[in-house]
Structure formats: structure tokens, C-alpha cells
Amino acid sequence: EWFSVDGHSFLAVANEYGGGSRDIDSMIFQRSGTAFTRFQSVPTHGAADWEWFSINGTSYLAVANWRNSASNRDIDSVLYQWNGTAFTVFQTIPTHGARDWEYFSVDGLSYLAVANL
């Protein structure tokens, strides 16, 4: 997921599996000149998707956690908020095998939908 916050460009990468485990960090990279450099590491569980959105000038980043290494799909997905220097946990949301997030607005109201398996 590519997005910009406060004039900085970021790329959030969802890591689903690595080193024999689904309980691995996903990465947020920041564009620096002509390359992306590691900005922040985020604990995830079989991460499948990132969704960036902004409400009233506040930036959020949601990660869809699909399943952990024990194949448990009843795990929380996490909503992060930009605090000016990093993304911090804003809210955990119970999900069941989350695969995708979509943010949208209708008639001035904001919605965040999750696709569960």
C-alpha cells in the first residue's frame, strides 16, 4: 500500500509467511531520495493487506491479519494511527481470517470494511 503523510511517501508491505512462521513483522518503508528505506517494523500474523486512509486530517493504516502460525484465524487485525513520527496502535478489531480492508465514504460518513474468510 503506497501513501503519503505530512509530505512523506510510504510503502507498507504485508508479510504473510517467512522463516517457517506466519507470526512475522510486516514493514513500512519511507521513500528517501530515489529509494525506499525501512521506516517501521510492525508485528503481524499472516498479514494479507494494508489499507491507508485519512479522516479529518488524521491518517490511519489498517493491517488485515489472516492467521497465525497455529493456523488460528480468530485473531485481531490492527488499526494504526499516525502520531507525527510513527504509526502507533489505535484499535484492535476482531477478525476471522481477514484478507482485505477497504475504506470508503458515503454522504460524508466514513466506513472501513473487512473481508473475512
Side-chain angles (χ1 to χ4, degrees), residues 16-112:
E16 184 177 320
Y17 187 81
S21 177
R22 294 191 190 284
D23 302 319
I24 60 172
D25 288 352
S26 289
M27 302 297 165
I28 301 170
F29 296 91
Q30 182 177 7
R31 184 166 176 143
S32 177
T34 59
F36 283 92
T37 58
R38 186 178 299 191
F39 175 76
Q40 186 174 345
S41 179
V42 177
T44 55
H45 307 283
D49 182 58
W50 285 101
E51 181 78 1
W52 175 86
F53 57 98
S54 178
I55 300 173
N56 298 325
T58 301
S59 293
Y60 299 93
L61 191 58
V63 64
N65 283 319
W66 177 44
R67 67 179 183 178
N68 63 20
S69 289
S71 294
N72 182 4
R73 292 184 178 156
D74 291 319
I75 55 175
D76 290 343
S77 290
V78 183
L79 183 61
Y80 295 89
Q81 182 178 17
W82 177 250
N83 69 8
T85 58
F87 291 93
T88 58
V89 174
F90 175 74
Q91 181 179 352
T92 57
I93 299 172
T95 53
H96 177 80
R99 298 299 289 171
D100 190 34
W101 286 107
E102 290 299 326
Y103 168 81
F104 59 97
S105 60
V106 176
D107 296 329
L109 297 175
S110 299
Y111 299 90
L112 184 62

